[in-house]
Amino acid sequence: MKLTIVEYPDKRLKERSKAVEKFDSELHRLLDAMYDMMIKSNGIGLAAVQVGHAKQVLILNIPDDNDGQPIDNLIEMINPTIIQASGETTYQEGCLSVPSFYEDVNRYEKIAVTYQDRNSIAKTIEADGLLSIAIQHEIDHLKGILFIDKLSYSRRKKFEKEYKRVQKEKKISKE
Ligand code: QAP
Ligand code: CO
């Protein structure tokens, strides 16, 4: 399966992803291809809508303290729902669909999430720290929300200006 990253301002990123009903080999192929794409792109999280599949599928691979990114840390979530949330935290987020831009975003500190794994087995996970932030970021993708949608009006304006400038530079350097 060949995948490409959908980048802002592509309208497909605003789509609401649909619940997965079939836990078949096609879903497994999508998950495997998403993992390859995420690692190749130096990402720690990826939602299916970011590779053009508006399905409630996301993967996470948070690095360890010693900076490695072991596959043991891979979490695959199908049809996730946040069932508990508490506290507040701020983190400078980025996104593979909004390349080269990072900005502070407020999130819940701790969450509990129910989801299904690739074999449709129901799971519950409690998360804090970077994993909690990453899950919230990826679940937002399933609702068509990007981290830049959560910025204040003035920071969003600053983003639009800077992003357009960088996109223009990228275009010129390709010519
Ligand atoms: C979502 O983001 C996330 O701009 C995952 O040039 C963000 O993997 C989770 C990336 C913040 C937790 C905290 C971004 C790679 C990767 C870029 C990513 C880039 C190269 C972003
Ligand atoms: Co993202």
Side-chain angles (χ1 to χ4, degrees):
M1 191 181 284
K2 207 180 166 298
L3 301 178
T4 49
I5 301 275
V6 175
E7 290 185 6
Y8 181 81
D10 195 308
K11 295 236 166 26
R12 284 176 288 171
L13 293 169
K14 295 193 129 234
E15 259 181 74
R16 284 186 83 92
S17 293
K18 298 226 157 58
V20 171
E21 286 166 1
K22 281 193 280 187
F23 292 77
D24 54 8
S25 59
E26 197 191 314
L27 173 68
H28 295 177
R29 274 202 297 276
L30 173 63
L31 284 162
D32 294 344
M34 282 173 64
Y35 177 78
D36 292 344
M37 177 55 91
M38 179 179 67
I39 295 300
K40 199 175 87 182
S41 314
N42 296 314
I44 61 167
L46 186 67
V49 69
Q50 292 181 270
V51 290
H53 294 255
K55 293 180 180 174
Q56 292 180 22
V57 172
L58 63 87
I59 59 172
L60 303 153
N61 196 9
I62 304 299
D64 275 342
D65 293 337
N66 46 18
D67 248 351
Q69 197 175 9
I71 194 162
D72 300 32
N73 287 2
L74 177 65
I75 301 175
E76 299 175 336
M77 293 188 172
I78 322 296
N79 304 330
T81 310
I82 295 175
I83 53 165
Q84 271 174 40
S86 63
E88 269 181 57
T89 187
T90 304
Y91 191 84
Q92 192 173 48
E93 298 190 11
C95 179
L96 286 171
S97 294
V98 189
S100 313
F101 185 82
Y102 306 86
E103 190 59 89
D104 280 359
V105 178
N106 302 322
R107 301 278 184 190
Y108 297 113
E109 184 185 13
K110 287 185 171 188
I111 55 170
V113 182
T114 61
Y115 63 95
Q116 288 163 282
D117 73 4
R118 63 160 65 203
N119 300 310
S120 87
I121 308 297
K123 306 252 170 157
T124 306
I125 189 174
E126 281 183 43
D128 59 14
L130 187 55
L131 178 61
S132 169
I133 293 162
I135 294 170
Q136 293 171 69
H137 176 112
E138 299 309 334
I139 288 181
D140 270 355
H141 274 300
L142 308 186
K143 300 173 186 160
I145 299 167
L146 298 174
F147 80 99
I148 48 170
D149 296 330
K150 305 182 96 75
L151 303 179
S152 68
Y153 181 76
S154 64
R155 278 180 192 268
R156 177 61 181 255
K157 285 239 298 210
K158 188 181 127 216
F159 160 74
E160 294 294 348
K161 209 169 145 187
E162 191 158 314
Y163 195 74
K164 272 183 196 135
R165 181 176 60 73
V166 172
Q167 296 290 99
K168 211 176 267 175
E169 276 170 10
K170 274 191 187 169
K171 226 178 113 188
I172 291 165
S173 71
K174 267 193 233 158
E175 284 169 4

